[in-house]
């Protein structure tokens, strides 16, 4: 009994990435679906490194690459990574996480911080529009 419960939990967790991708795909189709708003941007007025990434990923999953790139340059690569992670989790029938996944996440976070820094300098230092107008 306990063993089957563990198996069920692992299988349930293996579905989590595909559920996230499915939600993001649907969010790109129907923007009225609920989502989270950035607390950093609301408190400081400055978008965080992940601001506009959810919408960008949603648009990329729906094939709207130009609009996706306008919001966040990391949207399409993140969409591809999420789909690959979903496939791996379903294939291995568990919540897939490896050293490669960890390294990709760290490198992506560093890249996101670098892109964000450039955007902040352009937007707030030079007065050049670098973030989408919302």
């Amino acid at each position: 009994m306990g063993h089957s419960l563990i198996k069920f939990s692992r299988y349930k967790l293996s579905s989590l990435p595909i559920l996230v991708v499915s939600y993001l795909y649907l969010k790109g189709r129907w923007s009225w679906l609920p989502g989270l708003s950035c607390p950093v941007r609301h408190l400081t007025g400055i978008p965080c490194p992940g601001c506009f990434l959810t919408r960008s990923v949603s648009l990329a999953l729906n094939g709207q690459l130009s609009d996706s790139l306008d919001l966040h340059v990391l949207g399409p690569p993140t969409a591809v990574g999420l789909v690959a992670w979903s496939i791996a989790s379903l294939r291995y029938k568990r919540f897939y996480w490896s050293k490669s996944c960890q390294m990709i996440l760290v490198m992506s976070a560093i890249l996101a911080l670098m892109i964000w820094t450039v955007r902040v300098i352009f937007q707030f230092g030079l007065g050049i529009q670098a973030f989408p107008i919302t």
Side-chain angles (χ1 to χ4, degrees):
M1 170 104 178
H3 182 65
S4 63
L5 183 62
I6 291 171
K7 246 184 183 178
F8 176 74
S9 296
R10 283 185 186 164
Y11 181 75
K12 201 161 115 176
L13 281 177
S14 72
S15 302
L16 184 62
I18 195 69
L19 291 173
V20 169
V21 169
S22 298
Y23 172 76
L24 290 171
Y25 172 78
L26 293 173
K27 181 94 170 125
R29 289 230 179 256
W30 300 296
S31 60
W32 51 265
L33 286 172
L36 300 174
S37 191
C38 179
V40 173
R41 189 176 68 188
H42 286 290
L43 289 172
T44 66
I46 299 172
C48 77
C51 274
F52 311 106
L53 186 59
T54 302
R55 281 183 264 173
S56 180
V57 169
S58 294
L59 291 169
L61 289 170
N62 281 278
Q64 300 174 28
L65 295 180
S66 178
D67 293 336
S68 174
L69 288 168
D70 286 344
L71 289 175
H72 202 297
V73 72
L74 293 179
T78 301
V80 169
L82 286 172
V83 169
W85 181 42
S86 298
I87 292 168
S89 290
L90 291 174
R91 181 175 171 226
Y92 293 108
K93 295 182 175 121
R94 63 180 176 84
F95 188 79
Y96 184 77
W97 192 255
S98 67
K99 289 282 187 188
S100 298
C101 292
Q102 185 176 352
M103 182 57 78
I104 290 169
L105 184 63
V106 168
M107 297 304 289
S108 297
I110 291 169
L111 184 58
L113 283 170
M114 290 169 41
I115 291 168
W116 175 77
T117 301
V118 170
R119 289 173 96 178
V120 167
I121 290 169
F122 272 74
Q123 182 84 30
F124 300 103
L126 303 175
I128 299 169
Q129 189 69 38
F131 292 102
I133 299 171
T134 57

